[in-house]
Amino acid sequence: MGTATEEMKKLLLEYLPKEKAVDTAIRGVRIFRRDEPYDPKPLIYKPQIIILAQGRKDLYIGDRKYTYDADNYIVLTVPLPVVCEAIIKKGEPMLGMVIEIEPQIIGEILYEMDVEPVKKPVLNNSMYQAAVSDEIIDAALRLLKTLRSKNETRILGQIYVKEILFKVLNGEHGEILKELAFNNRSLYQISRAINRIHEDFPKPLEVQTLAKEAGMSVSTFHSNFKDITSTSPLQYIKNIRLHKAKELIQQEGEKVYEAAVRVGYESSSQFNREYKRLFGITPAKDSAASPVH
């Protein structure tokens, strides 16, 4: 695995001579480089698998901590607000790849494998870390090599993506991904509620309504939601709104008041207070520091 990891590093440095993240020509695959570390800060992670060739990140969700580096990959099965810290040594940039998780592709792989639905209850966790195997790192290296040729990218890219997903499904804690594909009742219902939150976050969202749509009592919905996301439904909605507001302010140059309204806040003072509590800076100062301004 060491040689393959070193080859991955060389390729990623070749593709990314400076710090940036790039969507490749292979659907759902992104490569990235980061040169500077950063202290813990709140971010939103999409459903994805992240494999690093160099560097380390620590993710915190509730009282749980997850680490991914050259020896461990990370898997997220639903969108999650997390606190993230990047550990990077000087002169050794963080290098890695992201593979988005598409439940239908997971389902196709399991169908081809003729796998029966998971009968044993498994961890009700929506994020996990697992040791990188030789097979996964080799497939990741072959995937990166296809980026040198348009024909290889078109013909072989998705084959290697499927190979990586296959290895992850059959690797440590792969049952969690299998559950998602087989529509494990609680995980599937909460995933649908999370998707609804991401689509309709600016609108009024009542926990009672979300629970009813999920076919659960409010108490069961609240308990299952917290098991999967390590946060309450209301806190999750709040975090999503604040992250979206931060994007509007920093990336689109939106005025603070207008950003607050667009993400569903009626009270400016409440928005300012909760924004500072989450990000450690007022939205006005964030706006002033934005490169858009």
Side-chain angles (χ1 to χ4, degrees):
M1 186 166 67
T3 303
T5 303
E6 287 301 317
E7 284 190 65
M8 275 188 69
K9 281 196 276 188
K10 288 178 183 176
L11 273 178
L12 287 166
L13 287 169
E14 175 188 322
Y15 297 150
L16 303 168
K18 60 181 180 179
E19 178 175 315
K20 63 177 175 176
V22 175
D23 290 318
T24 71
I26 303 169
R27 190 181 82 244
V29 177
R30 188 168 69 256
I31 57 175
F32 63 91
R33 167 180 174 162
R34 181 168 188 91
D35 292 335
E36 299 296 330
Y38 56 77
D39 293 332
K41 65 179 181 179
L43 296 171
I44 293 180
Y45 272 49
K46 295 179 180 180
Q48 58 193 4
I49 298 163
I50 309 175
I51 301 170
L52 289 183
Q54 185 166 267
R56 182 184 119 203
K57 277 193 177 181
D58 291 338
L59 301 184
Y60 302 88
I61 177 165
D63 59 356
R64 303 172 188 163
K65 176 184 175 182
Y66 303 85
T67 295
Y68 60 102
D69 51 23
D71 297 318
N72 299 275
Y73 60 90
I74 195 92
V75 179
L76 297 97
T77 61
V78 298
L80 285 173
V82 301
V83 173
C84 178
E85 179 180 11
I87 295 92
I88 302 170
K89 295 179 181 178
K90 190 172 182 180
E92 297 180 11
M94 179 177 291
L95 302 164
M97 70 160 56
V98 174
I99 299 173
E100 293 179 8
I101 292 176
E102 298 183 43
Q104 65 270 26
I105 295 179
I106 301 293
E108 287 171 13
I109 295 171
L110 293 175
Y111 177 77
E112 291 170 10
M113 290 167 59
D114 196 23
V115 173
E116 291 295 321
V118 178
K119 290 191 168 65
K120 289 195 258 181
V122 300
L123 292 172
N124 217 12
N125 222 345
S126 50
M127 177 165 64
Y128 68 89
Q129 67 187 59
V132 178
S133 66
D134 291 338
E135 291 84 2
I136 287 175
I137 206 73
D138 286 342
L141 177 58
R142 277 182 272 118
L143 179 61
L144 283 176
K145 285 181 176 178
T146 68
L147 299 179
R148 287 174 164 168
S149 161
K150 287 184 180 179
N151 285 334
E152 287 198 10
T153 296
R154 283 196 294 264
I155 296 166
L156 298 176
Q158 284 300 322
I159 293 174
Y160 295 145
V161 168
K162 266 192 159 184
E163 181 180 354
I164 293 170
L165 292 172
F166 171 79
K167 297 299 182 184
V168 169
L169 280 164
N170 288 284
E172 190 179 1
H173 303 316
E175 301 86 2
I176 296 172
L177 266 184
K178 290 176 184 176
E179 272 201 320
L180 184 66
F182 285 128
N183 292 351
N184 168 267
R185 189 160 179 78
S186 63
L187 183 55
Y188 178 65
Q189 289 167 305
I190 298 302
S191 295
R192 286 184 61 192
I194 287 171
N195 288 334
R196 165 82 191 282
I197 292 168
H198 279 260
E199 289 173 4
D200 295 337
F201 66 86
K203 302 175 184 177
L205 290 168
E206 299 290 337
V207 174
Q208 291 87 341
T209 304
L210 292 171
K212 185 177 180 181
E213 291 175 353
M216 298 178 180
S217 69
V218 172
S219 60
T220 300
F221 178 77
H222 191 281
S223 175
N224 285 331
F225 196 99
K226 194 162 187 178
D227 281 343
I228 290 169
T229 67
S230 292
T231 190
S232 70
L234 285 176
Q235 187 62 48
Y236 188 95
I237 293 168
K238 184 191 299 182
N239 284 347
I240 297 303
R241 285 174 173 161
L242 292 170
H243 277 281
K244 296 294 183 182
K246 189 177 183 70
E247 287 180 15
L248 291 171
I249 291 168
Q250 289 192 328
Q251 298 175 20
E252 298 183 25
E254 192 72 274
K255 292 181 179 177
V256 171
Y257 172 74
E258 291 172 353
V261 171
R262 282 183 61 181
V263 301
Y265 275 86
E266 296 179 358
S267 166
S268 294
S269 59
Q270 182 184 4
F271 173 71
N272 288 329
R273 183 170 61 251
E274 292 180 351
Y275 192 102
K276 184 176 181 181
R277 186 180 299 135
L278 181 61
F279 299 116
I281 186 174
T282 65
K285 286 184 178 178
D286 226 356
S287 177
S290 170
V292 176
H293 291 79

